[in-house]
Amino acid sequence: MSIKSPGKSFREAVNSNNPLAVLGVINAYSALQATKLGAKAIYLSGSGVASASYGLPDLGIVGLEDVLIDVRRITSRVDTPLLVDVDTGFGGAFNIARTIKELIKAEAAACHIEDQVAQKRCGHRPNKELVSISEMTDRLKAALDARTDENFVIMARTDAHAMEGQQKALERALAYEAAGADMIFAEAVHTLEEYKEYTKALKVPVLANITEFGKTPYFTQSELASVGIKLVLYPLSANRAMNKAAVEVFNSIIKNGHQKDVLDIMQTREELYQMLDYYEFENKLDQLFAKDKK
C-alpha cells in the first residue's frame, strides 16, 4: 500500500505540471518502463485491456474484474498514479459503486466514466449513442457517493462532441461539473478553440485525449497548455508501437526462418534486466541463501 493516497498524488501531479502528460500502459512492465523514464502519471485504457489482455474489440465486452486484474498488476509494481478507464461504470448504481470501491482497494488513483450507453463504442468511431444528462449525472452521483478515499479522482468523460455538437457537449460538461465531477474528459474534440471553450466554461481541470489515427489532431502539449488544458492523454501510443514491432518480428521469422533481420528493433536482454532491476533481485537471493563459508 502507498503511504500517500494515489488520488492525492494524481491531484498533485495535475497541479504541478502544465500540462500533465498521462502515458498509456497496457501491463505492469510497460508501467515500469514509463515510470523509470520519468512519467508523472499513467493510464490503463479499456480498449487496451480488451485488445491486449483478451484479444477483443473496444465494444464494452470486458468487465470490471478484467480491468481490475491489470490494475492490480500495475499498482503492485509502480507507485506512479494510475488513471483507469471504466467505460460506463459496468452497470447500474450499485455496480458503479462497486467499481469505485474496488478501484480504490486496488490502489488506482483516478477513473473516468463516460456518457455513452452501456453498449458503448470506441470514442473515435461513428454511431455512438449517449444517455441523457440526468442518467449520466446519476452515474456520477453513485460514483461520488461510493468513494472511500476523498482524494480518489472521478473524471467525467463526454462523447457528445461527435454526436450532438460542441454546444451540447459543453452543456453536458457543465452539468457533470455541477454534479461533482473532479475533472472533465472532452472526447474527440477537433480544434484548439473548442478546447479553449471547455477550459473557459469549466472550473475543474480538462483532459485532452491525443490518441493516434482518431478525430483529434496531434496538438502539442504547449499548444494545449496555451488554451488551458491541464492533462494530455496518450492512451495507446506505446501499445501501437509494440503491436507493429511484433508483426514485423513474426513476419520476419515466418518468412526468413530466423530473427536476425529484426534484432535492431528488439530490446536486448541486458536492457530488459536493467529495466526489471534483475540483478538486485538476484543479489537478494544470493544474500538470503548464501552458504555458510566458515
Side-chain angles (χ1 to χ4, degrees):
M1 296 285 287
S2 303
I3 295 173
K4 183 189 291 186
S5 158
K8 186 173 183 181
S9 295
F10 187 78
R11 291 172 187 269
E12 289 176 354
V14 173
N15 291 334
S16 59
N17 292 272
N18 187 33
L20 173 66
V22 185
L23 304 186
V25 300
I26 58 161
N27 53 33
Y29 185 65
S30 58
L32 182 63
Q33 289 179 299
T35 295
K36 286 200 169 187
L37 291 169
K40 300 294 188 289
I42 54 178
Y43 175 72
L44 183 63
S45 159
S47 174
V49 172
S51 64
S53 294
Y54 293 92
L56 293 169
D58 182 25
L59 290 168
I61 301 171
V62 299
L64 173 59
E65 191 59 33
D66 301 321
V67 174
L68 287 172
I69 289 168
D70 286 337
V71 171
R72 295 183 190 116
R73 288 173 173 170
I74 290 167
T75 60
S76 71
R77 191 62 177 94
V78 301
D79 289 328
T80 312
L82 175 67
L83 169 63
V84 180
D85 177 2
V86 298
D87 290 347
T88 62
F90 304 116
F94 293 126
N95 305 87
I96 292 169
R98 179 170 176 263
T99 295
I100 301 304
K101 292 178 188 296
E102 292 296 330
L103 285 174
I104 293 171
K105 287 179 185 176
E107 292 282 274
C111 73
H112 66 76
I113 185 168
E114 65 199 54
D115 56 6
Q116 288 196 53
V117 297
Q119 192 60 63
K120 61 149 290 174
R121 296 175 184 247
C122 169
H124 290 254
R125 295 292 300 155
N127 301 321
K128 296 184 292 185
E129 292 185 47
L130 307 180
V131 298
S132 66
I133 291 176
S134 63
E135 183 170 341
M136 178 59 181
T137 56
D138 284 346
R139 288 177 182 174
L140 291 170
K141 289 173 187 176
L144 292 159
D145 181 68
R147 274 199 293 215
T148 54
D149 172 11
E150 64 181 7
N151 286 307
F152 182 81
V153 172
I154 294 173
M155 181 184 293
R157 170 176 142 174
T158 180
D159 283 72
H161 185 279
M163 307 311 299
E164 299 179 343
Q166 174 73 350
Q167 291 309 308
K168 290 290 186 182
L170 285 171
E171 288 177 21
R172 283 178 172 269
L174 285 165
Y176 304 161
E177 179 186 55
D182 298 305
M183 301 179 189
I184 295 294
F185 181 141
E187 178 66 311
V189 174
H190 296 165
T191 70
L192 289 171
E193 185 57 39
E194 286 169 335
Y195 276 127
K196 190 172 183 178
E197 290 176 359
Y198 276 98
T199 61
K200 285 181 66 177
L202 297 162
K203 297 182 177 65
V204 298
V206 177
L207 177 146
N209 182 21
I210 309 301
T211 189
E212 297 80 26
F213 317 114
K215 301 295 186 182
T216 304
Y218 300 119
F219 298 122
T220 67
Q221 291 172 33
S222 59
E223 287 174 327
L224 291 163
S226 74
V227 293
I229 291 294
K230 291 295 294 178
L231 306 95
V232 183
L233 177 63
Y234 304 91
L236 290 165
S237 306
N239 184 42
R240 297 187 206 283
M242 294 175 206
N243 293 342
K244 181 68 177 292
V247 167
E248 291 185 24
V249 170
F250 294 149
N251 274 334
S252 183
I253 293 171
I254 291 167
K255 178 181 177 181
N256 302 318
H258 60 77
Q259 77 275 53
K260 292 184 286 186
D261 293 342
V262 287
L263 292 174
D264 61 326
I265 65 171
M266 294 186 190
Q267 184 182 53
T268 67
R269 182 183 299 271
E270 182 60 26
E271 289 167 339
L272 173 68
Y273 285 176
Q274 291 292 338
M275 188 62 67
L276 289 172
D277 303 317
Y278 182 93
Y279 298 116
E280 291 182 23
F281 281 87
E282 196 171 58
N283 290 338
K284 184 64 175 178
L285 279 179
D286 292 340
Q287 292 168 16
L288 285 171
F289 303 114
K291 300 294 185 181
D292 188 347
K293 297 180 179 180
K294 292 183 180 180

